[in-house]
Amino acid sequence: MDEFDLIRRFFAHPVIRKDTVCGIGDDCALLDPRRDQVLAASIDTLVAGVHFFADVQPEALGHKALAVSLSDLAAMGAEPAWAFLALTLPDADPFWLESFSHGLFKLARKFRVELAGGDTTRGSLAISMQVLGWVPGGRGLLRSAARPGDDIYLTGSVGDAGLGLKMLQGEMEWRDEAVLERLLRPLPRVETGMALRGIAHACIDVSDGLAADLGHILHASGLGATIRWQDLPLSASVRRYIEQTGDWRLPLYAGDDYELCFTAPCSHRLQLEQCLPSQEVPWHRIGKIEEQQGLRLIKGGKMITLQQVGYRHFQND
Ligand code: ADP
Ligand code: MG
């Protein structure tokens, strides 16, 4: 099986979108733009040994490679349209590829995303996924758009993916499949992001940890915030982990949860309740944006200053 057989067998498919003029198979994809909207574009790379274990189920990897990129579109309030996959593989294992493409296309179908092209090379296992989506002009959810007095909200719960990683690393004496699922197959909050257009001010997806990612909003907006420990949405497993270890920082600093953290003025509370059906994706108010710089946590009656840092590539070089 050479490169062209591989593309044909596992990635080429009949075009699914009307605005895909030309998909996989030519030198470029041809895409029909929307006149009244702005194109949102993002790319993310997953490297074996850095972002995932090389022996992870390929189906989960195909899912996650697309999910993390769609999460960036969600954080902008964009509607996903196309994806481009740059795949670097040590060898062309048909079982691996079948499973990988199954995971990828299953998620792509869910959001009507067209895989419109890519590149295939031989080398150490790495996956880059570019995504393109649409957002009505002026309605993209910018990190810089937080305002003093905004409430801060979070979808779902945080810390689960970080706890899942500890389970995979053999640090835990118990396992929870739901927690592992959060790490292996995160669900991008695409509908929530789109529903927040015109209601939320700032928005970001939590990929590097809540403190780091909320920190990006604060930095970009030139503001600070206080969040309350008692209001943080934590799963039963994360609570159990904290009770056992005392490590309450996990949900604040562990990454990979791909929830949305957003800000909105109190006056938009009713609109939020109408536009975000909480039974599908729960959401909670966790704190407030303030003029005073820095990120503060109220926990057990004490005020703790949080470092706004997450995982950084190259930091120890
Ligand atoms: P070129 O040499 O002209 O760059 P390629 O041989 O790289 O073309 O790719 C042939 C076609 O297959 C192109 O349409 C490209 O977008 C697509 N393609 C290549 N690799 C992938 C992949 N991993 N997933 C999806 N499409 C791919
Ligand atoms: Mg090429």
Side-chain angles (χ1 to χ4, degrees):
M1 184 170 53
D2 69 17
E3 175 193 336
F4 298 104
D5 299 328
L6 183 159
I7 296 165
R8 216 171 308 133
R9 193 161 152 197
F10 299 108
F11 299 107
H13 60 275
V15 159
I16 59 165
R17 293 181 63 94
K18 280 212 271 310
D19 49 5
T20 308
V21 181
C22 173
I24 292 174
D26 217 311
D27 294 309
C28 290
L30 296 177
L31 312 171
D32 193 15
R34 293 184 186 173
R35 273 82 192 167
D36 54 340
Q37 300 202 5
V38 168
L39 193 60
S42 178
I43 185 163
D44 269 302
T45 298
L46 301 181
V47 178
V50 179
H51 301 94
F52 62 91
F53 296 107
D55 63 353
V56 68
Q57 291 151 274
E59 175 272 323
L61 192 58
H63 172 104
K64 187 159 177 177
L66 181 59
V68 302
S69 291
L70 292 183
S71 178
D72 280 323
L73 290 182
M76 218 69 194
E79 174 192 335
W82 297 284
F84 291 82
L85 167 68
L87 191 56
T88 307
L89 297 170
D91 48 36
D93 172 354
F95 296 105
W96 192 97
L97 280 156
E98 177 71 44
S99 167
F100 177 87
S101 97
H102 182 76
L104 168 57
F105 279 107
K106 190 169 175 208
L107 185 65
R109 270 194 307 275
K110 180 173 157 84
F111 292 112
R112 288 192 14 85
V113 174
E114 180 105 72
L115 183 67
D119 196 24
T120 306
T121 49
R122 186 170 208 160
S124 308
L125 180 59
I127 299 143
S128 289
M129 187 75 73
Q130 181 178 37
V131 286
L132 301 175
W134 294 110
V135 64
R139 299 186 79 186
L141 305 171
L142 303 178
R143 293 180 181 186
S144 57
R147 295 288 167 265
D150 276 1
D151 288 318
I152 303 169
Y153 295 92
L154 189 63
T155 61
S157 60
V158 281
D160 300 275
L163 180 57
L165 181 60
K166 287 184 180 294
M167 290 173 180
L168 286 188
Q169 285 171 329
E171 283 182 40
M172 308 288 301
E173 279 166 8
W174 48 280
R175 274 168 90 94
D176 174 346
E177 291 307 318
V179 161
L180 284 168
E181 195 64 13
R182 288 288 310 270
L183 175 68
L184 295 174
R185 289 180 199 77
L187 284 175
R189 304 302 195 187
V190 172
E191 298 95 342
T192 307
M194 289 172 65
L196 289 173
R197 291 172 183 170
I199 303 175
H201 281 165
C203 185
I204 194 166
D205 64 321
V206 181
S207 54
D208 292 340
L210 179 62
D213 289 315
L214 176 54
H216 290 312
I217 288 183
L218 301 181
H219 193 77
S221 303
L223 295 166
T226 299
I227 57 176
R228 292 171 303 264
W229 174 258
Q230 70 202 54
D231 294 338
L232 280 185
L234 304 179
S235 67
S237 289
V238 166
R239 287 182 195 283
R240 177 177 170 196
Y241 165 82
I242 292 170
E243 266 166 38
Q244 286 176 344
T245 62
D247 177 19
W248 55 268
R249 291 175 186 267
L250 175 98
L252 295 165
Y253 290 100
D256 256 10
D257 284 312
Y258 300 100
E259 296 294 350
L260 293 183
C261 176
F262 58 95
T263 82
C266 310
S267 56
H268 289 179
R269 173 80 194 188
L270 202 64
Q271 268 178 289
L272 276 178
E273 281 167 12
Q274 285 161 352
C275 296
L276 298 184
S278 63
Q279 57 278 28
E280 272 172 51
V281 180
W283 50 281
H284 298 91
R285 181 163 43 191
I286 61 166
K288 254 196 181 321
I289 297 286
E290 296 162 345
E291 297 268 10
Q292 190 194 345
Q293 307 270 314
L295 177 56
R296 294 158 290 279
L297 173 74
I298 307 230
K299 183 175 189 294
K302 279 201 222 112
M303 171 110 71
I304 302 164
T305 300
L306 297 176
Q307 296 293 309
Q308 299 162 49
V309 292
Y311 182 79
R312 292 192 182 182
H313 298 272
F314 307 115
Q315 73 177 345
N316 297 318
D317 291 2

